[in-house]
Each structure stands twice: as C-alpha cells, then as structure tokens.
Amino acid sequence: MTRNRTAFTATVAVAFIAAALAVFAIWQMNAGFGMSGGSSSFTPSDEQKKEMSSAAKQLINNNYEIVKLFYVNGLPTAPEPYGNIPQDGILTVVSDEYASLSDIDSFVDSVFVPAVAETIKNDPAGNGPLFYDRNGVLGQSYEFEPDKNYPISWEQAPYTLNPISETECDINLTLRKNGIDTGFETSMIKENGKWLLTKIIYQ
C-alpha cells in the first residue's frame, strides 16, 4: 500500500510539473519574449514588456509597408501626355494615402533611426531617390519597376523580443522566403521617448 501511495504521489508531482512547464511555455510564446542572446541581465517589468511588444508590432507592420512602398510595389502614377517619357524622369503619383513627399518622409522617419531613414528616402536601391517633389505634388521615378518576384511572404510573421535595456531591444523575426521559414534580425531603440528600428527588414 505504501509503495502504491508513493508511486501515485510521484506521478501526481510529475504531472503537476509538466503542466506548469506547459503553461509557462504558452505564456512565453504569446508574450513574444525570449532569452537575451548577449550578456545583458536586464529584466523588463510587465509594463516595459507591454510597451516593447506594442512598439515592435507596429514597427514590424510599418517596416513591411515601407518595403512595399520603396522596393516592391511603389505607388500608382499618372501617364504622361501621349505616353511620352517624362523629361525630368519623374511621374506624378496618384494616391489617396500619400499626397506629398513630406507625407512619405514623415512616415519613414517615424519607423527608422535617422541614418537608416535617410538612406531609404534618398537612395533605397542604389539608384538615387524613388520619390520626389514634382512641382508641389508627389512624384515617383520613371525608372522604378515593381518587383513581381519578391520572394518573401509577410502573411505570418512570428517574432521574439530580446530586451537588452530600457531603451534597446533585439527582434528576431521569421518570414517565409521562397516557401522556407527564414530568420531575420533587427533591433529597436528608444530615442526621445519613441521606439525606432535600427535596420530595415527587406531580403
């Protein structure tokens, strides 16, 4: 009887430990926080976790919008009269979302640190700016061609946050590239009370 009772007690204990580990794993996955890959011993408070998680979600979504805007789709444009090639190399943008160059510049500045933002605005693909101010309206380079073979799917994009300090957090993102789960890394830092990405996730 004593042996059976001991075995039963051990079984219950093992089951309880397993259940507790399962609950912790689910919390960890839903929270989106992993262990820091560096030597940092920083542990964010619940409020800081919430703030970082909210900022990361918005920044990742905005990163994708900028990828589409500058590298994949561009914006719709109006044709030149008689189908001519524009002498200035710029087509007039027809968009309900962006009315001016400052609209796009402000959006990029709200997502990336200044150095990265300037590169995206002024030379995103190594061919100079994509968008221009064309006589007071938004213009787009005539040379731009949509990337119809962009290999990355953003439909499901799980990510893990690794907080380094109160103002720095690494982001590990998984995207489908050519049908294969592929890891991408960036980080976000908090400057003047606002979180910004330090690198664009593109390809």
Side-chain angles (χ1 to χ4, degrees):
M1 179 66 70
T2 301
R3 181 181 302 173
N4 291 339
R5 182 176 300 171
T6 301
F8 174 78
T9 301
T11 301
V12 171
V14 171
F16 176 80
I17 293 172
L21 290 174
V23 169
F24 176 78
I26 293 172
W27 175 86
Q28 190 85 335
M29 179 180 64
N30 290 336
F33 283 86
M35 298 299 293
S36 175
S39 58
S40 173
S41 59
F42 173 71
T43 300
S45 66
D46 290 342
E47 183 177 351
Q48 288 170 329
K49 284 183 178 181
K50 184 177 179 179
E51 177 187 332
M52 290 178 177
S53 181
S54 177
K57 181 179 180 180
Q58 186 64 57
L59 288 173
I60 290 170
N61 288 337
N62 288 343
N63 182 108
Y64 179 41
E65 290 302 315
I66 289 173
V67 166
K68 291 188 292 182
L69 187 60
F70 281 85
Y71 301 96
V72 181
N73 298 331
L75 288 172
T77 57
E80 290 290 287
Y82 309 108
N84 292 332
I85 295 176
Q87 293 183 351
D88 58 1
I90 302 170
L91 293 171
T92 299
V93 167
V94 181
S95 170
D96 294 330
E97 188 172 3
Y98 302 101
S100 67
L101 180 61
S102 63
D103 288 344
I104 291 180
D105 286 350
S106 295
F107 179 39
V108 176
D109 289 339
S110 72
V111 180
F112 298 99
V113 295
V116 176
E118 289 303 311
T119 297
I120 294 171
K121 291 185 295 184
N122 298 319
D123 196 17
N127 302 310
L130 175 59
F131 297 106
Y132 298 83
D133 181 282
R134 193 188 196 204
N135 302 320
V137 298
L138 181 60
Q140 179 175 286
S141 172
Y142 175 79
E143 301 294 332
F144 177 78
E145 294 184 4
D147 186 353
K148 298 180 180 179
N149 297 313
Y150 183 60
I152 296 175
S153 170
W154 288 71
E155 290 184 4
Q156 295 182 348
Y159 59 90
T160 301
L161 303 182
N162 298 315
I164 305 301
S165 70
E166 293 182 359
T167 58
E168 183 177 2
C169 182
D170 291 339
I171 302 174
N172 298 304
L173 181 69
T174 301
L175 300 171
R176 297 285 289 178
K177 183 175 184 179
N178 294 318
I180 300 173
D181 285 346
T182 305
F184 294 83
E185 296 180 356
T186 186
S187 62
M188 62 181 187
I189 61 175
K190 193 175 185 179
E191 293 186 343
N192 299 318
K194 187 170 186 177
W195 288 96
L196 300 169
L197 292 177
T198 62
K199 182 179 73 173
I200 187 170
I201 301 171
Y202 169 44
Q203 63 179 8

